[in-house]
Amino acid sequence: MTSELDTRTVGPSERRRTRSFALQFGLGMVAYVLVLVASLVWGDLDGDDPVRFLWALAPVVPVAAVAVVLVRFVLRSDEFELLQTLKGLAVGFVVTMLLAVIAGFLAVAGLDIPGLGWWLYGGGMLAWLVASIAIKLR
């Protein structure tokens, strides 16, 4: 901002880049959910067919695409946008690590949590989303 009168926090190019990121990220997450459901429904993950391993790994493809979208967004961001994004990611990372430590201690005590990795993943993603929204609203 070059003027005290300019009260906009982001310009049109940043807004356009953020909308593009949100669209690509959203499409990637929709693809992830669709592939995950297909994997769970048609993958016969409890069976004996070796193809089940491909079905089990199929959801990784859209997750990898989402990771590429995020990395591209971060690399193309200006300093302000980069700082906001990294703050949100940092909160998501810290929450995920805290959940992993809690889960580890509960496992040592004998508690078996089915699908634990997915709970950790979901908790970290949710923390990242909430933190990103809170940071942008500040």
Side-chain angles (χ1 to χ4, degrees):
M1 287 188 267
T2 58
S3 170
E4 295 290 306
L5 300 176
D6 190 358
T7 59
R8 295 175 296 163
T9 57
V10 293
S13 63
E14 291 89 0
R15 201 172 298 118
R16 193 171 35 255
R17 190 172 37 253
T18 301
R19 270 195 228 115
S20 174
F21 166 72
L23 176 65
Q24 293 171 359
F25 183 85
L27 290 174
M29 291 309 293
V30 167
Y32 165 72
V33 169
L34 292 175
V35 172
L36 178 63
V37 169
S39 174
L40 294 173
V41 171
W42 297 305
D44 192 25
L45 300 178
D46 293 331
D48 295 327
D49 189 0
V51 176
R52 75 184 186 278
F53 296 113
L54 293 175
W55 277 107
L57 292 175
V60 173
V61 174
V63 168
V66 167
V68 169
V69 167
L70 177 63
V71 169
R72 284 179 47 210
F73 177 76
V74 168
L75 292 177
R76 293 177 178 171
S77 295
D78 63 13
E79 294 83 10
F80 179 71
E81 218 170 22
L82 179 65
L83 186 60
Q84 286 186 314
T85 302
L86 292 180
K87 284 179 181 180
L89 286 169
V91 171
F93 175 79
V94 168
V95 168
T96 304
M97 293 304 101
L98 180 61
L99 292 174
V101 168
I102 291 169
F105 281 119
L106 291 175
V108 167
L111 180 64
D112 182 35
I113 303 171
L116 178 61
W118 297 110
W119 289 105
L120 295 174
Y121 172 74
M125 291 294 281
L126 182 62
W128 173 37
L129 175 66
V130 170
S132 294
I133 291 170
I135 289 166
K136 287 189 188 325
L137 292 176
R138 273 192 332 162

